[in-house]
Amino acid sequence: MNKLKLLFFVFILISCSRNEKIIEGDLAFKTVDFSNYYGLNQNKIDKFDGIIDSMRKIKNPSNDDLTFLSYMDNLKKYNVIKSPYIRLKTKDSIIIVYLKENDFEKVKNYNSNDLISNNRKINFKMKIETRGKEIYYCKGFISIKEVHGETYTSK
């Protein structure tokens, strides 16, 4: 009986030790934004894959090239290469958070111009899972609020 209790405790400990946490931040926008294959048709995906493959053949790739290739490999590895995403401005940085399609439906209609014109911003509180080094995946929204404030945009 004690072995069964120990096994149950270890299982609970392992399942709770995933890289999940609660994070809060504001929706951020970027003028030119490409972070994965979301929204691309297969023809464009094939073209982009060809570009990535040609980058892999460069004899002396730059650090930027290697970082990009590693990032794209991780998007595939963690199965978010075709997932919708948002940019989230936290108190420390701006991160890309990948979403389930039904969660993206809740936020896709926010428009940076409308928010800026009305001096509004969208504040999120969500449960995220860190996959790999810098791949953040939303496990669920806790709250989404439109509040008074400045919407962050970058080029």
Side-chain angles (χ1 to χ4, degrees):
M1 184 68 164
N2 284 337
K3 288 182 181 181
L4 184 59
K5 286 181 185 178
L6 179 63
L7 182 61
F8 181 72
F9 177 74
V10 169
F11 176 75
I12 295 295
L13 184 64
I14 290 171
S15 65
C16 292
S17 67
R18 292 170 44 178
N19 293 325
E20 292 183 0
K21 63 182 177 179
I22 305 295
I23 192 167
E24 189 170 353
D26 298 327
L27 185 61
F29 294 90
K30 189 170 182 177
T31 306
V32 177
D33 196 8
F34 177 81
S35 294
N36 68 358
Y37 293 170
Y38 180 72
L40 298 180
N41 64 36
Q42 192 59 48
N43 186 36
K44 289 182 181 177
I45 291 172
D46 292 343
K47 254 184 184 174
F48 201 71
D49 278 342
I51 292 168
I52 291 173
D53 288 342
S54 67
M55 287 177 72
R56 293 184 194 287
K57 295 175 185 173
I58 296 172
K59 290 185 181 180
N60 294 314
S62 70
N63 285 338
D64 288 343
D65 290 340
L66 293 173
T67 300
F68 175 76
L69 291 170
S70 174
Y71 184 73
M72 294 304 288
D73 289 344
N74 282 332
L75 292 180
K76 288 179 182 180
K77 177 180 177 180
Y78 296 111
N79 202 28
V80 294
I81 190 77
K82 294 182 179 179
S83 297
Y85 60 91
I86 60 171
R87 291 188 181 279
L88 191 69
K89 184 179 186 315
T90 67
K91 63 181 176 180
D92 300 324
S93 63
I94 297 173
I95 62 173
I96 296 172
V97 179
Y98 295 92
L99 307 168
K100 295 174 236 158
E101 191 71 44
N102 63 334
D103 284 338
F104 186 65
E105 289 294 320
K106 299 173 187 173
V107 301
K108 73 177 185 179
N109 291 325
Y110 289 115
N111 176 295
S112 64
N113 291 334
D114 293 341
L115 292 168
I116 291 168
S117 296
N118 296 311
N119 199 29
R120 306 293 283 173
K121 64 182 180 178
I122 307 302
N123 181 264
F124 291 95
K125 189 171 187 181
M126 65 181 79
K127 184 176 185 179
I128 65 163
E129 175 183 80
T130 304
R131 297 178 177 182
K133 187 177 177 184
E134 292 183 3
I135 306 294
Y136 304 99
Y137 187 78
C138 178
K139 299 296 280 182
F141 291 124
I142 296 168
S143 67
I144 304 171
K145 298 177 190 169
E146 186 173 327
V147 297
H148 180 78
E150 188 175 334
T151 294
Y152 181 83
T153 60
S154 67
K155 295 187 191 278

